[in-house]
């Protein structure tokens, strides 16, 4: 399907954010744009399943997704939350093997999609794309390694505190009148999925943190005490 001019301009703008395409000239990007298609998914829909044999690259034009692993019991473990401008599917794109994780749309989302065969053709013309993509993969591997270390060595409370510190940093460090940082409220189940813990343990720890005045549930938000940052710094 040929992209409309508005879609071409949109995809071209996002390509410059993706490491594999960042070093290309504007002229070359305009040529590659024609290899993309547009796909849309509604909130809650699965973009692809773990072990699927699809090998396309996805760039998020609108919306957000979560990357998850499913246990044999059907429990979810969230590997990453990806937003507008992020990309995914690069591992199967490179080696042609089945998907290593599932991806689910968190909200109504639109993607620019590139088939593996077209990507490999592009690399033959622009070998520097492979180098740039490898750099991006290494960065993601480092983050994955850090997460594995966190799961292996940090107690649930420490992992929970680290999650809230990260959310504060990602969501703008906004403060209410009392000096608390404001972040969007997550359910106990969502939090448990993100740090590899049971929902019951999350509920107990949040109750304790609440009684200590460290975290306050306020409608649709969590209010996070600056003291939580001090706890993280004290533990290194």
């Amino acid at each position: 399907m040929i992209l409309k001019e508005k879609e071409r301009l949109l995809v071209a703008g996002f390509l410059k954010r993706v490491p594999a395409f960042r070093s290309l000239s504007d002229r070359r990007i305009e040529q590659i744009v024609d290899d993309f298609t547009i796909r849309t998914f509604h909130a809650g829909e699965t973009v692809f399943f773990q072990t699927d044999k699809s090998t396309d690259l996805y760039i998020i034009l609108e919306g957000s997704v979560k990357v998850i692993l499913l246990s044999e019991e059907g429990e979810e473990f969230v590997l990453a939350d990806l937003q507008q401008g992020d990309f995914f599917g690069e591992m199967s794109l490179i080696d042609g093997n089945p998907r290593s994780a599932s991806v689910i749309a968190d909200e109504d989302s639109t993607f620019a999609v590139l088939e593996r065969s077209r990507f490999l053709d592009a690399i033959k013309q622009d070998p520097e794309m492979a180098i740039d993509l490898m750099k991006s993969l290494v960065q993601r591997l480092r983050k994955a390694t850090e997460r594995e270390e966190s799961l292996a060595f940090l107690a649930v409370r420490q992992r929970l505190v680290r999650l809230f510190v990260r959310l504060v940093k990602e969501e703008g460090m906004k403060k209410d009148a009392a000096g608390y940082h404001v972040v969007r409220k997550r359910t106990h189940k969502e939090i448990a999925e993100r740090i590899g813990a049971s929902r019951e343990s999350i509920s107990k720890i949040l109750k304790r943190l609440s009684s200590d005045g460290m975290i306050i549930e306020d409608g649709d938000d969590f209010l996070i005490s600056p003291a939580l940052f001090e706890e993280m710094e004290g533990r290194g």
Side-chain angles (χ1 to χ4, degrees):
M1 182 182 296
I2 300 176
L3 298 184
K4 300 176 182 178
E5 184 59 25
K6 183 178 180 180
E7 292 174 331
R8 293 185 81 261
L9 292 174
L10 181 63
V11 174
F14 277 95
L15 281 185
K16 295 177 181 179
R17 302 187 192 182
V18 179
F21 304 96
R22 195 172 292 158
S23 62
L24 299 183
S25 66
D26 290 343
R27 182 171 177 274
R28 186 71 184 102
I29 285 180
E30 288 181 7
Q31 294 172 340
I32 292 179
V33 163
D34 293 326
D35 291 332
F36 280 83
T37 57
I38 302 295
R39 296 191 65 186
T40 59
F41 290 82
H42 293 299
E45 279 194 286
T46 300
V47 181
F48 54 71
F49 287 98
Q50 186 176 337
T51 73
D52 275 359
K53 294 183 179 180
S54 64
T55 55
D56 301 335
L57 175 72
Y58 289 75
I59 301 173
I60 305 175
L61 302 179
E62 294 180 358
S64 61
V65 303
K66 61 179 178 180
V67 183
I68 66 170
L69 290 178
L70 290 174
S71 69
E72 293 181 357
E73 293 76 25
E75 295 180 344
E76 293 183 1
F77 180 70
V78 179
L79 296 176
D81 297 294
L82 302 178
Q83 312 293 328
Q84 184 184 56
D86 289 330
F87 66 95
F88 58 91
E90 70 280 4
M91 291 180 64
S92 294
L93 178 81
I94 292 174
D95 62 18
N97 289 327
R99 301 297 188 182
S100 59
S102 299
V103 176
I104 299 174
D106 259 344
E107 55 187 311
D108 292 347
S109 302
T110 302
F111 309 99
V113 184
L114 182 66
E115 293 180 0
R116 181 172 186 262
S117 60
R118 294 185 179 274
F119 179 77
L120 295 178
D121 288 340
I123 281 184
K124 292 176 183 177
Q125 296 185 50
D126 300 283
E128 67 272 18
M129 290 177 61
I131 297 175
D132 290 335
L133 186 57
M134 282 192 294
K135 291 179 180 178
S136 176
L137 286 173
V138 168
Q139 290 176 351
R140 290 194 172 185
L141 180 59
R142 290 185 188 279
K143 290 182 179 179
T145 301
E146 290 175 358
R147 179 164 186 160
E148 289 176 1
E149 291 176 348
S150 173
L151 292 174
F153 299 114
L154 294 178
V156 174
R157 178 186 170 104
Q158 290 173 276
R159 299 205 303 267
L160 180 60
V161 170
R162 177 170 289 185
L163 172 66
F164 276 115
V165 169
R166 177 169 62 81
L167 290 176
V168 167
K169 291 179 179 178
E170 290 176 353
E171 296 185 10
M173 301 286 287
K174 296 184 239 179
K175 295 184 179 180
D176 74 346
Y180 280 71
H181 301 284
V182 182
V183 300
R184 180 174 61 82
K185 189 175 182 180
R186 275 78 170 175
T187 67
H188 294 188
K189 180 176 182 293
E190 288 175 325
I191 294 171
E193 290 170 354
R194 279 157 176 74
I195 67 170
S198 68
R199 183 168 54 184
E200 291 76 14
S201 63
I202 295 302
S203 297
K204 290 178 181 178
I205 296 171
L206 283 176
K207 183 176 180 179
R208 178 62 182 274
L209 289 172
S210 177
S211 66
D212 291 341
M214 303 284 271
I215 295 177
I216 300 173
E217 296 189 26
D218 183 31
D220 294 331
D221 298 315
F222 279 126
L223 304 183
I224 313 298
S225 170
L228 207 64
F229 287 86
E230 297 173 9
E231 176 175 329
M232 176 60 73
E233 292 171 356
R235 294 180 182 272

